[in-house]
Amino acid sequence: LWIQCWYNVLRFGQKISIHQHSMSSDGYLSGHFDVQCTNTYTAYILPKFQIGKPEYVKIANKPGNLTIFPSNIFHFTSRHLSLKSRITIAFDISLTCVNNNYIEI
């Protein structure tokens, strides 16, 4: 297995738009660890509802939470409305080395 990690810092009014981490057959799992956050959530779009009016599951971001999901799931965050930054550490786990950002685990 291979992993890459990065951090996200959202300041007041910012959000992360809808995206997915991998459509590759080598994509496996993605996730994030909540370091510092207040009253925000990450929404995961249910796979069978990706077209039209998507349905999604909201998971509250709370310090210490670890969320893991399939890398091909589309997701986004709510707008961050605190003066204190929202900080998360995100990661992708892959079955192969996708690029130079991955390290073997």
Side-chain angles (χ1 to χ4, degrees):
L1 293 176
W2 297 78
I3 190 168
Q4 71 170 344
C5 302
W6 64 95
Y7 63 91
N8 293 300
V9 177
L10 298 181
R11 291 171 178 78
F12 184 87
Q14 294 180 318
K15 66 178 182 174
I16 298 174
S17 298
I18 189 169
H19 67 283
Q20 67 183 151
H21 292 230
S22 178
M23 276 301 292
S24 165
S25 60
D26 293 326
Y28 184 44
L29 295 174
S30 295
H32 64 90
F33 177 75
D34 301 332
V35 177
Q36 177 177 285
C37 43
T38 306
N39 297 324
T40 64
Y41 63 84
T42 302
Y44 301 89
I45 297 177
L46 300 174
K48 72 180 208 174
F49 296 108
Q50 291 183 11
I51 298 175
K53 185 177 178 188
E55 291 186 23
Y56 51 87
V57 173
K58 292 191 244 183
I59 296 180
N61 299 130
K62 296 180 182 177
N65 276 6
L66 174 65
T67 304
I68 298 173
F69 53 93
S71 294
N72 65 343
I73 297 294
F74 282 94
H75 57 286
F76 60 93
T77 70
S78 59
R79 189 169 305 280
H80 180 62
L81 299 176
S82 173
L83 295 177
K84 194 173 184 180
S85 296
R86 174 192 181 272
I87 302 170
T88 58
I89 299 170
F91 60 88
D92 292 328
I93 297 173
S94 179
L95 302 176
T96 63
C97 183
V98 177
N99 60 44
N100 290 337
N101 295 327
Y102 281 79
I103 60 171
E104 191 169 13
I105 53 174

